Amino acid sequence: MRLRRVVPVALVALALAACDNPPPAGETGEQATGSSARSPVARVDPATLPVIDAELGVPPRAAPPTRRRAPAKVVVRLEVREVEQEIADGSRYMFWTFGGTVPGPMVRVRRGDFVELHLMNHPDNTMPHNIDLHAVTGPGGGATSSFTAPGHQTQFSFQALNAGVYVYHCATAPVGMHVGNGMYGLIVVEPDEGYPAVDREYYVMQGDFYTTGDYREPGLQPFDLERAIDEDPAYVLFNGRDGALVGDNALTARTGETVRLFFGNGGPNLTSSFHVIGEIFDRVFNEGGTTVVNDVQTTSIPAGGAAIVDFGVEVPGTYVLVDHALMRAFNKGAVGMLRVDGDEDRVVYTGQEVDEAYLGDYAPAALAARPNADGGAAGFAQGERTFIGTCAVSQCE
Ligand SMILES: [Cu+2]
Protein backbone atom coordinates (compact mmCIF):
# COMPACT_ATOMS: atom_id res chain seq x y z
CA MET A 1 0.00 0.00 0.00
CA ARG A 2 1.43 3.33 -0.95
CA LEU A 3 1.67 6.15 1.52
CA ARG A 4 -1.36 8.41 1.61
CA ARG A 5 -1.26 11.26 -0.89
CA VAL A 6 -4.81 12.52 -1.17
CA VAL A 7 -4.55 16.22 -2.01
CA PRO A 8 -3.91 16.90 -5.70
CA VAL A 9 -1.54 19.74 -6.47
CA ALA A 10 -4.26 21.70 -8.31
CA LEU A 11 -6.50 21.61 -5.24
CA VAL A 12 -3.64 22.79 -3.11
CA ALA A 13 -3.10 25.71 -5.48
CA LEU A 14 -6.77 26.64 -5.12
CA ALA A 15 -6.55 26.34 -1.37
CA LEU A 16 -3.48 28.55 -1.30
CA ALA A 17 -5.30 31.13 -3.41
CA ALA A 18 -8.23 31.07 -0.99
CA CYS A 19 -6.21 31.48 2.20
CA ASP A 20 -2.69 31.89 3.46
CA ASN A 21 -2.49 28.51 5.20
CA PRO A 22 0.10 26.14 3.69
CA PRO A 23 -1.07 22.63 2.81
CA PRO A 24 -0.89 19.81 5.35
CA ALA A 25 2.22 17.76 5.89
CA GLY A 26 3.43 15.35 3.30
CA GLU A 27 0.41 15.47 1.01
CA THR A 28 1.92 16.93 -2.14
CA GLY A 29 5.28 17.33 -3.75
CA GLU A 30 7.68 20.11 -2.81
CA GLN A 31 6.09 21.61 0.25
CA ALA A 32 6.75 22.10 3.91
CA THR A 33 5.47 19.84 6.67
CA GLY A 34 3.18 22.58 7.91
CA SER A 35 2.88 26.22 8.82
CA SER A 36 4.64 25.69 12.15
CA ALA A 37 7.88 24.78 10.41
CA ARG A 38 8.44 28.35 9.31
CA SER A 39 6.67 30.40 11.93
CA PRO A 40 8.90 31.87 14.67
CA VAL A 41 9.37 29.49 17.54
CA ALA A 42 7.88 30.66 20.81
CA ARG A 43 10.49 31.65 23.37
CA VAL A 44 10.32 29.71 26.60
CA ASP A 45 11.25 30.20 30.23
CA PRO A 46 13.27 27.03 30.91
CA ALA A 47 12.47 27.22 34.63
CA THR A 48 8.77 26.71 33.91
CA LEU A 49 9.13 23.73 31.57
CA PRO A 50 8.60 20.09 32.52
CA VAL A 51 11.93 18.23 32.70
CA ILE A 52 12.32 15.07 30.63
CA ASP A 53 15.28 12.69 30.34
CA ALA A 54 15.77 12.06 26.62
CA GLU A 55 14.98 8.55 25.44
CA LEU A 56 17.82 7.89 23.04
CA GLY A 57 17.78 5.62 20.00
CA VAL A 58 20.50 2.99 19.78
CA PRO A 59 21.19 2.20 16.11
CA PRO A 60 19.45 0.83 14.15
CA ARG A 61 16.57 1.58 16.50
CA ALA A 62 15.27 5.13 16.16
CA ALA A 63 14.43 7.19 19.21
CA PRO A 64 10.66 7.15 19.79
CA PRO A 65 8.46 10.10 18.79
CA THR A 66 8.09 12.73 21.49
CA ARG A 67 4.28 12.59 21.21
CA ARG A 68 4.22 16.03 22.82
CA ARG A 69 2.43 19.16 21.69
CA ALA A 70 4.15 21.54 24.09
CA PRO A 71 7.81 22.33 24.77
CA ALA A 72 9.83 20.68 27.51
CA LYS A 73 13.29 20.88 28.99
CA VAL A 74 14.96 17.76 27.62
CA VAL A 75 18.10 16.48 29.34
CA VAL A 76 20.51 14.64 27.01
CA ARG A 77 23.52 12.78 28.34
CA LEU A 78 26.18 11.61 25.87
CA GLU A 79 29.31 9.79 26.99
CA VAL A 80 32.33 9.69 24.73
CA ARG A 81 33.98 6.26 24.57
CA GLU A 82 37.12 5.33 22.65
CA VAL A 83 36.60 1.65 21.88
CA GLU A 84 38.53 -0.89 19.85
CA GLN A 85 36.09 -3.15 18.03
CA GLU A 86 35.60 -4.96 14.74
CA ILE A 87 35.14 -2.91 11.61
CA ALA A 88 34.81 -6.17 9.66
CA ASP A 89 35.17 -9.85 10.53
CA GLY A 90 38.77 -10.23 11.70
CA SER A 91 39.57 -6.52 11.22
CA ARG A 92 39.70 -4.22 14.22
CA TYR A 93 39.75 -0.46 14.56
CA MET A 94 39.99 2.07 17.38
CA PHE A 95 36.70 3.92 17.07
CA TRP A 96 36.03 7.20 18.85
CA THR A 97 32.33 7.26 19.62
CA PHE A 98 29.42 8.91 21.30
CA GLY A 99 27.93 6.24 23.53
CA GLY A 100 30.05 3.34 22.26
CA THR A 101 28.22 2.97 18.95
CA VAL A 102 28.67 4.26 15.40
CA PRO A 103 26.58 6.29 14.87
CA GLY A 104 26.08 7.64 18.38
CA PRO A 105 22.68 7.61 20.06
CA MET A 106 19.82 9.25 18.16
CA VAL A 107 18.41 12.24 20.01
CA ARG A 108 14.79 13.25 19.34
CA VAL A 109 13.22 16.46 20.56
CA ARG A 110 10.45 18.80 19.44
CA ARG A 111 10.88 22.24 17.92
CA GLY A 112 10.78 24.77 20.74
CA ASP A 113 12.26 22.37 23.30
CA PHE A 114 15.02 23.62 25.59
CA VAL A 115 17.76 20.99 25.43
CA GLU A 116 20.27 20.61 28.28
CA LEU A 117 23.22 18.70 26.85
CA HIS A 118 25.74 16.93 29.05
CA LEU A 119 28.95 15.63 27.47
CA MET A 120 30.99 13.19 29.52
CA ASN A 121 34.48 12.16 28.41
CA HIS A 122 35.26 8.79 29.99
CA PRO A 123 38.43 8.80 32.15
CA ASP A 124 39.89 5.88 30.16
CA ASN A 125 39.90 7.97 26.99
CA THR A 126 43.08 9.50 25.61
CA MET A 127 41.74 12.52 23.72
CA PRO A 128 39.69 15.64 24.44
CA HIS A 129 36.40 15.80 22.52
CA ASN A 130 33.45 18.13 22.06
CA ILE A 131 30.15 18.22 20.15
CA ASP A 132 28.80 20.35 17.32
CA LEU A 133 25.08 19.75 16.78
CA HIS A 134 23.79 21.12 13.50
CA ALA A 135 20.44 21.70 15.27
CA VAL A 136 22.04 24.36 17.48
CA THR A 137 21.93 28.08 16.74
CA GLY A 138 25.11 29.38 18.36
CA PRO A 139 28.90 29.44 17.90
CA GLY A 140 30.31 26.11 16.82
CA GLY A 141 26.91 24.46 17.22
CA GLY A 142 27.91 23.97 20.85
CA ALA A 143 31.50 22.98 20.17
CA THR A 144 32.89 26.12 21.78
CA SER A 145 31.01 25.28 25.00
CA SER A 146 31.76 21.59 25.18
CA PHE A 147 35.51 21.03 24.85
CA THR A 148 35.96 18.22 27.36
CA ALA A 149 39.14 16.53 28.56
CA PRO A 150 39.19 12.84 29.54
CA GLY A 151 37.69 12.43 32.98
CA HIS A 152 35.68 15.65 32.69
CA GLN A 153 32.12 16.57 31.79
CA THR A 154 30.64 19.76 30.38
CA GLN A 155 27.16 21.15 29.90
CA PHE A 156 25.42 23.70 27.71
CA SER A 157 21.82 24.27 26.69
CA PHE A 158 20.03 25.48 23.59
CA GLN A 159 16.55 25.95 22.25
CA ALA A 160 15.76 23.93 19.11
CA LEU A 161 14.61 26.71 16.79
CA ASN A 162 14.32 24.73 13.53
CA ALA A 163 12.61 21.45 12.74
CA GLY A 164 14.55 18.82 10.81
CA VAL A 165 17.01 15.95 10.98
CA TYR A 166 20.47 17.15 11.95
CA VAL A 167 23.89 15.58 12.21
CA TYR A 168 25.92 16.04 15.36
CA HIS A 169 29.64 15.33 15.45
CA CYS A 170 32.84 15.94 17.34
CA ALA A 171 34.58 19.13 16.23
CA THR A 172 37.89 18.80 18.04
CA ALA A 173 40.98 19.24 15.87
CA PRO A 174 41.82 17.44 13.69
CA VAL A 175 38.07 17.43 13.06
CA GLY A 176 38.23 15.15 10.03
CA MET A 177 40.01 12.50 12.10
CA HIS A 178 37.53 12.66 14.99
CA VAL A 179 34.61 12.37 12.55
CA GLY A 180 36.43 9.74 10.51
CA ASN A 181 36.85 7.65 13.64
CA GLY A 182 33.06 7.50 14.05
CA MET A 183 32.13 10.52 16.16
CA TYR A 184 28.74 11.44 14.70
CA GLY A 185 25.04 10.83 15.15
CA LEU A 186 21.62 12.37 14.47
CA ILE A 187 19.43 14.75 16.43
CA VAL A 188 15.86 14.89 15.13
CA VAL A 189 13.83 18.01 15.86
CA GLU A 190 10.20 17.21 15.23
CA PRO A 191 7.99 19.90 13.72
CA ASP A 192 5.24 21.14 16.02
CA GLU A 193 2.74 18.64 14.68
CA GLY A 194 5.27 15.75 14.62
CA TYR A 195 6.05 13.62 11.60
CA PRO A 196 3.37 11.55 9.86
CA ALA A 197 2.90 8.22 11.60
CA VAL A 198 4.52 5.11 10.09
CA ASP A 199 4.72 1.50 11.24
CA ARG A 200 8.50 1.18 11.66
CA GLU A 201 11.31 3.67 12.13
CA TYR A 202 15.01 2.89 11.76
CA TYR A 203 18.22 4.84 12.24
CA VAL A 204 21.05 4.40 9.75
CA MET A 205 24.15 6.48 9.06
CA GLN A 206 26.75 6.15 6.38
CA GLY A 207 30.42 6.86 7.01
CA ASP A 208 33.73 6.49 5.19
CA PHE A 209 36.70 4.96 7.04
CA TYR A 210 40.39 5.25 6.28
CA THR A 211 42.43 2.29 7.48
CA THR A 212 46.00 1.53 6.52
CA GLY A 213 44.96 -1.92 5.31
CA ASP A 214 42.49 -2.34 2.50
CA TYR A 215 38.89 -3.53 2.81
CA ARG A 216 38.61 -6.57 5.11
CA GLU A 217 42.38 -6.82 5.61
CA PRO A 218 42.74 -8.61 8.97
CA GLY A 219 44.28 -7.32 12.17
CA LEU A 220 44.18 -4.02 14.05
CA GLN A 221 44.09 -1.29 11.43
CA PRO A 222 45.41 2.21 12.23
CA PHE A 223 43.84 5.39 10.88
CA ASP A 224 45.54 6.47 7.62
CA LEU A 225 45.67 10.27 7.45
CA GLU A 226 47.07 10.42 3.92
CA ARG A 227 44.33 8.15 2.69
CA ALA A 228 41.74 10.37 4.40
CA ILE A 229 43.17 13.50 2.82
CA ASP A 230 43.05 11.75 -0.57
CA GLU A 231 39.40 10.78 0.14
CA ASP A 232 40.24 7.16 -0.68
CA PRO A 233 38.42 5.13 1.98
CA ALA A 234 39.05 1.45 2.60
CA TYR A 235 35.49 1.20 3.93
CA VAL A 236 32.19 2.93 3.23
CA LEU A 237 29.80 1.58 5.84
CA PHE A 238 26.31 1.75 7.22
CA ASN A 239 26.31 1.97 11.03
CA GLY A 240 30.04 1.66 11.42
CA ARG A 241 30.67 -1.98 10.64
CA ASP A 242 30.91 -4.16 7.56
CA GLY A 243 27.66 -6.15 7.56
CA ALA A 244 26.04 -4.16 10.39
CA LEU A 245 22.65 -4.47 8.65
CA VAL A 246 23.12 -7.77 6.82
CA GLY A 247 21.84 -11.30 7.47
CA ASP A 248 20.64 -11.73 11.05
CA ASN A 249 21.17 -7.99 11.56
CA ALA A 250 18.88 -6.98 8.67
CA LEU A 251 16.14 -4.44 9.27
CA THR A 252 12.72 -6.07 9.20
CA ALA A 253 9.16 -5.23 8.18
CA ARG A 254 5.97 -6.93 7.04
CA THR A 255 4.06 -6.42 3.85
CA GLY A 256 1.47 -3.68 4.10
CA GLU A 257 3.57 -1.66 6.54
CA THR A 258 5.19 1.72 6.12
CA VAL A 259 8.90 2.06 6.86
CA ARG A 260 10.84 5.19 7.75
CA LEU A 261 14.61 5.50 7.66
CA PHE A 262 16.28 8.38 9.41
CA PHE A 263 19.36 8.32 7.20
CA GLY A 264 22.37 10.47 7.94
CA ASN A 265 25.84 10.78 6.48
CA GLY A 266 28.69 11.34 8.91
CA GLY A 267 31.26 11.46 6.14
CA PRO A 268 33.83 12.84 6.73
CA ASN A 269 34.25 13.10 2.97
CA LEU A 270 31.84 11.28 0.68
CA THR A 271 28.34 12.22 -0.44
CA SER A 272 25.93 9.27 -0.41
CA SER A 273 23.69 8.34 -3.33
CA PHE A 274 21.27 6.51 -1.08
CA HIS A 275 19.05 3.91 -2.72
CA VAL A 276 17.05 0.85 -1.71
CA ILE A 277 17.13 -1.79 -4.45
CA GLY A 278 13.57 -2.74 -5.38
CA GLU A 279 11.83 0.13 -3.59
CA ILE A 280 10.83 3.69 -4.38
CA PHE A 281 10.84 6.34 -1.68
CA ASP A 282 7.21 7.45 -1.59
CA ARG A 283 8.17 10.47 0.50
CA VAL A 284 11.54 12.10 1.21
CA PHE A 285 12.05 14.93 3.65
CA ASN A 286 14.69 16.41 1.44
CA GLU A 287 18.06 17.11 3.08
CA GLY A 288 16.44 16.45 6.44
CA GLY A 289 14.43 19.68 6.22
CA THR A 290 10.72 20.30 5.95
CA THR A 291 10.34 20.10 2.18
CA VAL A 292 8.71 16.86 1.05
CA VAL A 293 9.54 15.32 -2.33
CA ASN A 294 7.55 12.33 -3.55
CA ASP A 295 8.49 9.31 -5.68
CA VAL A 296 12.27 9.34 -5.39
CA GLN A 297 14.59 6.54 -6.55
CA THR A 298 17.91 7.74 -5.12
CA THR A 299 18.44 10.63 -2.76
CA SER A 300 21.65 12.53 -2.31
CA ILE A 301 22.87 12.87 1.28
CA PRO A 302 25.88 15.14 1.70
CA ALA A 303 28.53 14.59 4.33
CA GLY A 304 27.15 16.28 7.41
CA GLY A 305 23.59 15.97 6.08
CA ALA A 306 20.56 13.73 6.50
CA ALA A 307 17.13 12.85 5.14
CA ILE A 308 13.99 11.01 6.12
CA VAL A 309 12.87 8.43 3.56
CA ASP A 310 9.43 6.83 3.88
CA PHE A 311 8.08 3.98 1.80
CA GLY A 312 5.43 1.32 1.93
CA VAL A 313 6.43 -2.32 1.46
CA GLU A 314 4.07 -4.40 -0.66
CA VAL A 315 6.13 -7.40 -1.78
CA PRO A 316 8.01 -9.82 0.50
CA GLY A 317 11.72 -10.36 -0.03
CA THR A 318 15.09 -8.81 0.73
CA TYR A 319 15.63 -5.19 -0.20
CA VAL A 320 19.23 -4.04 -0.32
CA LEU A 321 20.24 -0.61 0.99
CA VAL A 322 23.17 0.78 -0.97
CA ASP A 323 25.19 3.81 -1.78
CA HIS A 324 24.45 3.70 -5.51
CA ALA A 325 28.00 4.76 -6.20
CA LEU A 326 28.19 1.01 -6.47
CA MET A 327 31.86 0.22 -5.98
CA ARG A 328 31.35 1.51 -2.44
CA ALA A 329 28.47 -0.91 -2.00
CA PHE A 330 30.00 -4.07 -3.36
CA ASN A 331 33.70 -3.39 -2.76
CA LYS A 332 33.80 -1.23 0.38
CA GLY A 333 30.83 -2.38 2.46
CA ALA A 334 28.01 0.15 1.88
CA VAL A 335 25.33 -2.54 1.89
CA GLY A 336 22.43 -3.16 4.25
CA MET A 337 19.27 -5.23 4.09
CA LEU A 338 15.59 -4.81 4.81
CA ARG A 339 13.87 -8.20 5.06
CA VAL A 340 10.15 -8.01 4.36
CA ASP A 341 7.99 -10.96 5.38
CA GLY A 342 4.34 -11.47 4.55
CA ASP A 343 1.96 -12.37 1.80
CA GLU A 344 2.86 -12.14 -1.86
CA ASP A 345 1.16 -9.58 -4.09
CA ARG A 346 1.38 -11.11 -7.56
CA VAL A 347 -0.03 -8.02 -9.20
CA VAL A 348 2.52 -5.58 -7.83
CA TYR A 349 5.26 -8.09 -8.67
CA THR A 350 4.74 -11.46 -10.28
CA GLY A 351 8.10 -13.07 -9.69
CA GLN A 352 9.63 -14.94 -12.58
CA GLU A 353 7.02 -16.00 -15.11
CA VAL A 354 9.21 -17.47 -17.84
CA ASP A 355 12.59 -19.16 -17.94
CA GLU A 356 13.15 -21.03 -21.17
CA ALA A 357 15.70 -21.39 -23.93
CA TYR A 358 16.27 -18.44 -26.23
CA LEU A 359 18.36 -19.25 -29.27
CA GLY A 360 18.44 -15.92 -31.08
CA ASP A 361 20.51 -16.34 -34.19
CA TYR A 362 21.39 -19.83 -32.96
CA ALA A 363 17.85 -20.89 -33.95
CA PRO A 364 17.88 -23.92 -36.30
CA ALA A 365 17.48 -21.92 -39.47
CA ALA A 366 20.34 -19.61 -38.62
CA LEU A 367 22.39 -22.45 -37.18
CA ALA A 368 22.44 -24.16 -40.54
CA ALA A 369 24.53 -21.28 -41.81
CA ARG A 370 26.96 -21.62 -38.84
CA PRO A 371 28.23 -25.21 -38.96
CA ASN A 372 30.68 -24.83 -36.06
CA ALA A 373 28.24 -23.20 -33.66
CA ASP A 374 27.79 -24.93 -30.30
CA GLY A 375 24.05 -24.37 -30.12
CA GLY A 376 24.50 -21.48 -27.66
CA ALA A 377 26.06 -23.53 -24.87
CA ALA A 378 29.01 -21.17 -24.43
CA GLY A 379 26.69 -18.16 -24.37
CA PHE A 380 24.44 -19.78 -21.77
CA ALA A 381 27.43 -20.57 -19.58
CA GLN A 382 28.78 -17.03 -19.81
CA GLY A 383 25.35 -15.61 -18.99
CA GLU A 384 25.04 -17.87 -15.97
CA ARG A 385 28.47 -16.82 -14.70
CA THR A 386 27.56 -13.13 -15.07
CA PHE A 387 24.25 -13.63 -13.25
CA ILE A 388 25.81 -15.50 -10.36
CA GLY A 389 28.66 -13.05 -10.10
CA THR A 390 26.27 -10.11 -9.87
CA CYS A 391 23.30 -11.39 -7.94
CA ALA A 392 25.18 -13.63 -5.54
CA VAL A 393 26.84 -10.48 -4.22
CA SER A 394 23.77 -8.24 -4.14
CA GLN A 395 21.43 -11.04 -3.12
CA CYS A 396 18.90 -9.71 -5.60
CA GLU A 397 15.93 -11.89 -6.28
CU1 LIG B 1 36.37 13.88 19.27
Side-chain angles (χ1 to χ4, degrees):
M1 186 182 303
R2 288 178 53 77
L3 298 179
R4 190 168 60 96
R5 291 171 57 199
V6 296
V7 183
V9 172
L11 289 180
V12 170
L14 286 172
L16 285 173
C19 68
D20 292 333
N21 293 329
E27 300 295 348
T28 70
E30 299 187 7
Q31 56 174 302
T33 56
S35 57
S36 62
R38 292 199 177 93
S39 62
V41 70
R43 291 295 188 268
V44 293
D45 176 0
T48 66
L49 297 175
V51 179
I52 296 173
D53 281 328
E55 187 173 349
L56 305 175
V58 177
R61 181 174 60 83
T66 67
R67 305 190 195 287
R68 281 187 286 107
R69 290 294 177 266
K73 176 179 174 180
V74 182
V75 179
V76 177
R77 301 177 195 277
L78 296 176
E79 183 187 49
V80 176
R81 299 298 299 257
E82 298 169 3
V83 289
E84 183 192 310
Q85 53 197 24
E86 284 196 323
I87 191 169
D89 290 345
S91 304
R92 301 188 68 80
Y93 188 71
M94 177 56 81
F95 292 90
W96 297 349
T97 75
F98 293 97
T101 59
V102 180
M106 177 174 148
V107 181
R108 190 162 183 170
V109 300
R110 179 183 177 275
R111 192 179 84 116
D113 281 349
F114 184 75
V115 182
E116 182 181 283
L117 195 138
H118 299 249
L119 188 69
M120 294 88 77
N121 194 347
H122 193 277
D124 287 347
N125 292 344
T126 61
M127 303 291 293
H129 300 282
N130 63 8
I131 188 167
D132 167 356
L133 301 104
H134 292 180
V136 167
T137 302
T144 56
S145 305
S146 58
F147 185 79
T148 310
H152 287 71
Q153 57 179 322
T154 58
Q155 173 189 330
F156 68 93
S157 301
F158 65 96
Q159 189 178 21
L161 302 183
N162 296 77
V165 181
Y166 298 94
V167 168
Y168 68 79
H169 62 88
C170 184
T172 301
V175 180
M177 181 178 179
H178 283 249
V179 173
N181 283 344
M183 294 198 76
Y184 47 77
L186 288 183
I187 174 170
V188 174
V189 182
E190 296 177 348
D192 296 8
E193 63 277 18
Y195 288 109
V198 293
D199 295 308
R200 296 181 189 246
E201 293 186 330
Y202 290 111
Y203 171 33
V204 180
M205 287 191 77
Q206 179 169 323
D208 25 298
F209 292 86
Y210 301 85
T211 52
T212 302
D214 286 334
Y215 179 58
R216 291 182 176 174
E217 199 167 301
L220 178 61
Q221 296 294 330
F223 174 77
D224 188 326
L225 179 61
E226 288 303 315
R227 197 165 189 166
I229 292 171
D230 290 342
E231 301 187 14
D232 174 30
Y235 293 86
V236 181
L237 300 175
F238 295 148
N239 286 5
R241 192 199 188 284
D242 189 33
L245 304 176
V246 168
D248 292 341
N249 299 319
L251 309 179
T252 59
R254 291 196 62 80
T255 53
E257 291 185 329
T258 48
V259 176
R260 167 169 296 149
L261 305 178
F262 292 97
F263 188 90
N265 186 0
N269 291 323
L270 303 184
T271 293
S272 176
S273 302
F274 183 59
H275 177 78
V276 177
I277 299 173
E279 267 298 346
I280 299 155
F281 303 143
D282 297 320
R283 178 170 56 206
V284 175
F285 289 76
N286 205 27
E287 299 189 358
T290 47
T291 299
V292 172
V293 181
N294 299 116
D295 306 319
V296 174
Q297 61 190 302
T298 300
T299 192
S300 184
I301 319 281
I308 297 174
V309 301
D310 292 350
F311 51 97
V313 287
E314 294 83 9
V315 179
T318 299
Y319 296 82
V320 181
L321 288 61
V322 294
D323 181 335
H324 213 291
L326 288 172
M327 293 305 179
R328 301 173 188 173
F330 299 126
N331 299 80
K332 297 190 174 186
V335 173
M337 291 180 178
L338 170 66
R339 192 184 69 244
V340 177
D341 297 318
D343 296 333
E344 297 282 356
D345 184 333
R346 296 294 187 187
V347 174
V348 174
Y349 183 69
T350 66
Q352 188 176 71
E353 295 182 298
V354 174
D355 179 8
E356 61 188 18
Y358 167 69
L359 299 179
D361 57 4
Y362 287 101
L367 204 57
R370 306 179 62 164
N372 296 323
D374 63 357
F380 288 139
Q382 177 60 46
E384 185 176 19
R385 285 195 297 274
T386 302
F387 177 83
I388 292 172
T390 303
C391 287
V393 174
S394 69
Q395 305 213 4
C396 46
E397 298 182 353

